[in-house]
Amino acid sequence: MEGCGSSVVMVAGTSSLKLQRCLVSSVPKIERKEKPTISYLRYPAVMTCECHGYTAISWTWYMTNGSKQVRFPSVCQVTQPDRYVISKKSASITELKILKLTKEDGGEYSCEATFELGKSEGRLKLKVLSFMAPLKPFIAIVIEVVTLVALIVCYEIYSTKVKRTGKPFLAFH
Amino acid sequence: MPPPANTRRAPSPPDGGWGWVVVFGAFVSIGFAYAFPKGVAIFFKEIQDFFGTSYSEVAWISSIILATTYGAGPISSILVNRYGSRPVVMLGGLLCGIGMVSAAFCTSIMQLYICVGFITGLGLALNLQPSVIMIGKYFLKRRPVANGLAMAGSPVMLCTLAPLNQFLFDSFGWRGSFLVLGAILLNCCVAGALFRPIGPGTASVKTQVTEEGKGALKREDTEDAMEMSSPTNLPVKNKTEEERDRDCCEKINQYLDFSLFKHRGFLIYLIGNVLMFLGFFAPIIFLAPYAKHIGFDEYSAAFLLSILAIVDIVARPTTGIIANSKWVRPRIQYFFSFSIAFNGTCHLLCPLASSYTGLVIYSVFFGLAFGMVCAMLFETLMDLVGAARFTSAVGLVTIAECCTILLGPPIGGKLIDTFGDYKYMFIKCGVVMVLAGTFLFIMNYYNYRMLAKEEKERKAKEEDPKTVRTENECRNNWIKETTQDGPELEPLREEQGPKKEVNGIIEV
């Protein structure tokens, strides 16, 4: 069986140490959200990458700007140190948190994990919307509700009037 | 002193006409109340990642919604007793909308608990109880059918909300989805607008007189109403201190009828249902994980729940129609007990199903049993306490059920974790429900006999020739049950009641 030779990867679980021999001949795959992460302007966004059961030596986050890959932490970090927070949630999970999103933050990101055997990459998408996007269906539904309530109330007033003035001998129903 | 609200007899319910529109409104309202806590679970993974909490912390949101929806039952009852159903449902719809819209702007999990959990949960509570109460006001002869149709709103809404929530989530993320869901929940206000007030104190009091010619059934109702409206004719225990106490009690009872705790039928229902809910919801929650545990894939597991929902949608109105038939209606309590025991038996047999076909068969029967129980859940309570006191009864029952509803799934989960096997959870649920069904069956047998006996005694005392006796004595009891439960009548009935209960369960 092809293996990693003498390399043994130790993964710390919550209460016990699991010894797991690296039995793959290639680097582990990164697990991340397939669908784009959607967040809103001036709100934070969180993106996570995970390599199940393995420990990466280091993680690096990139943002694809056109064709260029910009690395985090980048020059931006110096001027706006509070904008990005890269944290290691556990041995196999990394998280990039962008506080106070701007329109330019939307796009493709990639998280790269460095293992003994090499590097592995996962791609994620971030969509930044303004609140106008869900606001349109919201207003449409509110208008529908108000219209329906008004219609029902008007119909009731109308039918009460008809029954009172129009047909006094029939039973009120 | 005007008779308290809960003794006012509603005039003969129309049993149709605008009532079917009210059923549609109740369908929407009840659907949102039951389906929303489950439907919102789609967003939990994303919220968990966003706030960095554990899954159980996020799952608390569902629990808080459910707890508030059931726990705020008495508040709902008090408000309905005071203001009527329509303003309460519209307020509920507004609260739901406000809760979800403010949830869209939340920045911590605590804020989500408050906005989605408490505020929306309270709004849903103000939707659920008045909807069920309105059905009792608009229907009598066809009430089981109306109840079955309205309760069918729950699975239909769940089937609609699940893909809708997924679509909203893919388009707008969880924040935008909450905003749009807030608007969707405002449709409960539309449902509320449909709840035209009916009953004494409105113009429909005239119908009491004009509709008297409509049949023996209604004739009895109006006579009983006239009998009720002159409480001084009834022999009450004649002590002045007791009368003063009663004034104070009646003032509280105007808002929430605590004298229901002396009502035999109510107590039977309360104990039976509180026991039943301990094993009612856990199997649904753990069905998909159980299927995955056996080895089936995620989609097959989810398909089982779809089968359950589809059978449920069909089962509820069908049960309503069956319960309305002339053979079942007088003995509806037995039918209810049977469906609970049937439900329990399904759970007991589930561990025997190890193949996918077996699980599908289990899902079909479970959906059937679940639908049967849910369709009659409120109908049986109305049958026992009558439409007049139902407002308070439903509030008191829901707050009592709240505890066991919340305890059921965690106990099931604990059993699964301790034994590592799902079968003990199914056995526990099955045993609890079979016990509850048997208890209800026996106690209702006793209750029916007691009611028949009291009816004979009352008839002998009053020698009222106007009381129309139909060939089915129990059907008469069912009609009388809707009229006899004012607090003024309590001491008269309870003189005989408690003595017999002390002597044993079944008194011949």
Side-chain angles (χ1 to χ4, degrees), chain B residues 135 262 379 494:
Chain B
I135 294 176
K262 290 190 273 177
E379 171 59 34
E494 291 309 312

Side-chain angles (χ1 to χ4, degrees), chain A residues 38 40 43 144 156 172-173, chain B residues 14 86 170 172 187 196 207:
Chain A
I38 302 177
Y40 291 87
Y43 279 91
E144 168 247 321
E156 186 169 328
F172 179 84
H173 203 17
Chain B
R86 178 185 255 176
D170 292 337
F172 300 119
N187 279 298
R196 253 188 229 173
T207 61

Side-chain angles (χ1 to χ4, degrees), chain B residues 119-184:
Chain B
I119 301 180
T120 312
L122 182 62
L124 291 176
L126 296 179
N127 265 310
L128 176 62
Q129 271 88 352
S131 309
V132 188
I133 291 166
M134 276 315 258
I135 294 176
K137 290 204 175 137
Y138 268 87
F139 288 89
L140 181 61
K141 272 199 293 182
R142 291 195 223 149
R143 201 173 56 198
V145 179
N147 262 310
L149 280 170
M151 295 300 279
S154 169
V156 167
M157 276 297 173
L158 187 61
C159 288
T160 321
L161 267 184
L164 178 70
N165 279 357
Q166 189 63 50
F167 168 74
L168 286 175
F169 178 61
D170 292 337
S171 316
F172 300 119
W174 67 269
R175 283 190 197 274
S177 303
F178 280 359
L179 191 68
V180 179
L181 275 175
I184 291 176

Side-chain angles (χ1 to χ4, degrees), chain B residues 264-265 268 327-337 379-380 383-384 440-456 472-479 481 484 505 507:
Chain B
R264 187 177 51 236
I268 294 171
W327 304 285
V328 179
R329 183 102 192 251
R331 301 281 186 221
I332 198 172
Q333 304 295 333
Y334 294 149
F335 190 41
F336 185 53
S337 328
E379 171 59 34
T380 42
D383 182 63
L384 285 166
L440 281 171
F441 192 89
I442 296 174
M443 292 309 285
N444 276 303
Y445 174 73
Y446 165 66
N447 191 36
Y448 275 135
R449 290 191 80 98
M450 292 301 297
L451 286 170
K453 198 176 286 189
E454 285 160 13
E455 191 51 44
K456 274 195 196 128
N472 195 340
E473 189 188 27
C474 291
R475 201 156 136 246
N476 224 17
N477 291 338
W478 145 57
I479 299 155
E481 270 157 353
Q484 67 195 355
I505 292 176
E507 179 90 5

